[in-house]
Amino acid sequence: MEADLYRRGDKKKCTNDVVKAIDRKGTLINGYPKNVIAAGVAIDPKTGRVMAYYGGADGTGIDYAGKINEGTEWEDGGHPAASSFKIYTLATAIENGISIKSTWDPTPLTTKNCKKYDTCGLAPVQNSGRDPGDLKCGTNCTLEDVTRLSLNVPFFKIAKKLGANKVLEMARAAGIRTMWSTDDGKARDLTKPGVIKGPRDPFDYQVAFGQYPITVLDHASGMATFANRGIYNKPHFVIKVEKKNTKTGKYEIVPNTGEKLVGKRTIRQEVADEVTGVLKHMPSSYGHSLDGGRQAAAKTGTWESLVKKGANSNVWTVGYTPQIATAIWVGNVKNASDPIYKPKSKGGGNITSSGLPGDIWEKFMNAAHSGMKKESLPDGTGGNIGEIEGVGDGVIPSPTFDLGQCVFNPNQPGCPGYDPNNPGNPGNPGNPGNPDNSPSPAPAPSKSCGFGTGKPCNG
């Protein structure tokens, strides 16, 4: 996952000659179809040092982890972050007073229900095939649940409620510097004043679930900020620059060069910790827990192919420990929307986010942490930040009424014979002659009343 760069004759790094990286035997991507490529970046959260960088099999070709043609109108390099971007939307919600215990209705947004959800004129939003009827939480899912289940609709609603600009501001605070429009295909520098203009400008509510492309490097930087509990360090490759003193023959540091370690708090610690408290339970659910019980936080993301229904085109696993933040992307060598499949030797079918990128993330993180002590991640408050009631739109289903109750008490709401103008005794409907609300004796069984006759036995 890393390429060493050297200049012959001195001690400088990251300069001229490149040792070509190869997908050799033994690597996890070896044997996959030729259109499948992976990229990954790892960063030290406490310093911003790029610990590992892999932008593709050709060290002098296209960089799939960063930008290409940077600074020109053809600047490119981003990939749709899909659900892995929901980390920033979750942080936005918490920052703006929405508790992870607030509840949300994940019912898909369509043209049929757009009036109910005030989404007429907006593109429909689905949950990647998940129907609320299949969910244990139904139409009343906590924000913590929808993050774990990776449901698109509630995150879309959060962006609509707060404004897509709020999500962009949080992503920028974490380390996302560039995002590409899916309308004109051009990059937007989120650090420039005035670029983030309003609730739907320059990006729409779909930013909440990762529609718009970002680089692997930026995503790793964002993860590093959460790993560092809200303190951002600028990613950098060069630690120091030395020049040989011709008189002494010794190497000396060149003044005003090298890294500048200036961390800046860009996200409140309690917000970053609350996000981590949710994400630290995710690696085990993906089947990618780290060795020895080492704590890690993670999130996956899957973007479906635009040219092949039911196929995937971009898949991610991103995450962190207190010591290392890593983003792994798997996608296409050329056409970004083409489907990516596993080889027949591995069963064929779609490459999923918890598949190849998850495997690479886990294997790299285990190797990179070798020899490092275990450090715990914060737990967060479990929902004590922000409001629980009145912020989401979760719907608690009404309890099913048992019509059998009408046999002995027909004059109560829900019964066929209920008369709202004659509700009976308060607290004991249908029994006005029993004001003390004491139990009434059951009527004797009769063949002319009760179940099957359509006639109640108590008149």
Side-chain angles (χ1 to χ4, degrees):
M1 188 176 152
E2 51 193 322
D4 294 327
L5 311 179
Y6 300 98
R7 173 182 291 168
R8 293 191 180 98
D10 62 23
K11 291 185 178 180
K12 292 184 179 181
K13 294 182 179 180
C14 302
T15 48
N16 292 340
D17 297 335
V18 178
V19 177
K20 189 174 181 180
I22 307 171
D23 291 326
R24 60 188 182 279
K25 290 183 179 180
T27 62
L28 291 172
I29 200 172
N30 180 256
Y32 273 74
K34 292 183 179 180
N35 72 304
V36 178
I37 190 72
V41 177
I43 293 175
D44 180 345
K46 295 179 175 62
T47 64
R49 293 174 182 171
V50 176
M51 305 171 70
Y53 190 103
Y54 181 84
D58 185 353
T60 59
I62 295 175
D63 181 1
Y64 291 92
K67 297 179 182 179
I68 57 176
N69 299 320
E70 186 170 3
T72 72
E73 64 176 306
W74 300 283
E75 183 172 287
D76 203 355
H79 318 287
S83 290
S84 67
F85 199 87
K86 291 173 183 174
I87 295 171
Y88 308 109
T89 311
L90 174 63
T92 304
I94 298 168
E95 171 63 31
N96 286 274
I98 298 175
S99 169
I100 62 171
K101 295 300 183 185
S102 62
T103 59
W104 299 81
D105 179 1
T107 300
L109 305 176
T110 66
T111 54
K112 294 181 179 180
N113 63 13
C114 68
K115 289 185 178 179
K116 177 180 177 180
Y117 295 104
D118 189 28
T119 55
C120 294
L122 301 177
V125 181
Q126 304 291 331
N127 292 309
S128 298
R130 295 185 182 92
D131 186 275
D134 300 328
L135 302 173
K136 186 177 180 180
C137 57
T139 56
N140 196 50
C141 303
T142 67
L143 182 52
E144 187 174 22
D145 286 336
V146 301
T147 303
R148 176 177 54 84
L149 297 168
S150 208
L151 303 176
N152 293 335
V153 172
F155 284 94
F156 179 90
K157 289 179 178 179
I158 288 171
K160 184 174 180 294
K161 180 183 181 72
L162 301 176
N165 55 318
K166 294 295 183 182
V167 179
L168 288 169
E169 288 165 2
M170 177 59 71
R172 180 180 63 190
I176 305 301
R177 294 291 176 257
T178 308
M179 183 175 285
W180 279 262
S181 169
T182 53
D183 292 328
D184 61 18
K186 293 184 178 180
R188 304 291 192 275
D189 184 347
L190 301 183
T191 66
K192 288 186 176 180
V195 169
I196 301 177
K197 300 175 182 178
R200 301 179 67 184
D201 189 5
F203 297 98
D204 214 337
Y205 302 135
Q206 289 83 357
V207 70
F209 51 79
Q211 174 173 303
Y212 305 103
I214 60 175
T215 66
V216 182
L217 176 61
D218 274 3
H219 214 355
S221 177
M223 295 306 96
T225 301
F226 285 102
N228 203 27
R229 307 183 74 178
I231 296 177
Y232 168 79
N233 284 289
K234 185 178 180 180
H236 58 279
F237 296 83
V238 178
I239 297 175
K240 61 181 179 180
V241 179
E242 297 177 328
K243 183 178 181 180
K244 190 174 184 179
N245 187 315
T246 56
K247 295 181 179 180
T248 65
K250 296 181 179 181
Y251 284 92
E252 300 173 349
I253 294 177
V254 177
N256 301 316
T257 62
E259 66 180 354
K260 296 176 178 61
L261 301 180
V262 183
K264 180 181 179 182
R265 176 163 298 286
T266 54
I267 300 173
R268 288 192 294 137
Q269 180 175 311
E270 53 267 38
V271 172
D273 288 354
E274 194 81 341
V275 170
T276 297
V278 174
L279 300 183
K280 67 187 293 186
H281 300 290
M282 306 293 267
S284 60
S285 68
Y286 301 142
H288 292 300
S289 298
L290 299 187
D291 289 346
R294 185 183 296 274
Q295 290 189 358
K299 184 76 181 75
T300 59
T302 303
W303 197 254
E304 295 181 358
S305 169
L306 297 179
V307 298
K308 180 71 174 178
K309 188 176 181 180
N312 301 330
S313 60
N314 292 265
V315 286
W316 297 74
T317 294
V318 301
Y320 52 89
T321 67
Q323 295 118 312
I324 303 174
T326 302
I328 302 294
W329 164 84
V330 174
N332 272 285
V333 171
K334 290 185 179 179
N335 302 317
S337 289
D338 282 352
I340 50 175
Y341 297 119
K342 294 183 289 186
K344 291 182 179 179
S345 62
K346 296 183 181 295
N350 287 329
I351 298 175
T352 62
S353 54
S354 59
L356 181 58
D359 292 341
I360 295 173
W361 182 85
E362 179 187 347
K363 185 175 182 179
F364 172 78
M365 291 290 272
N366 281 329
H369 282 90
S370 178
M372 291 185 180
K373 68 177 183 178
K374 295 177 185 176
E375 293 185 16
S376 298
L377 288 168
D379 294 323
T381 70
N384 291 327
I385 299 176
E387 298 296 323
I388 297 176
E389 303 293 338
V391 288
D393 66 345
V395 178
I396 301 176
S398 301
T400 302
F401 184 74
D402 182 6
L403 288 175
Q405 299 177 37
C406 300
V407 172
F408 303 115
N409 199 351
N411 200 25
Q412 61 177 308
C415 293
Y418 172 64
D419 181 0
N421 297 317
N422 184 26
N425 188 48
N428 191 24
N431 198 3
N434 187 11
D436 63 355
N437 200 30
S438 59
S440 300
S446 169
K447 293 182 179 180
S448 61
C449 67
F451 288 105
T453 67
K455 298 179 181 180
C457 290
N458 60 348

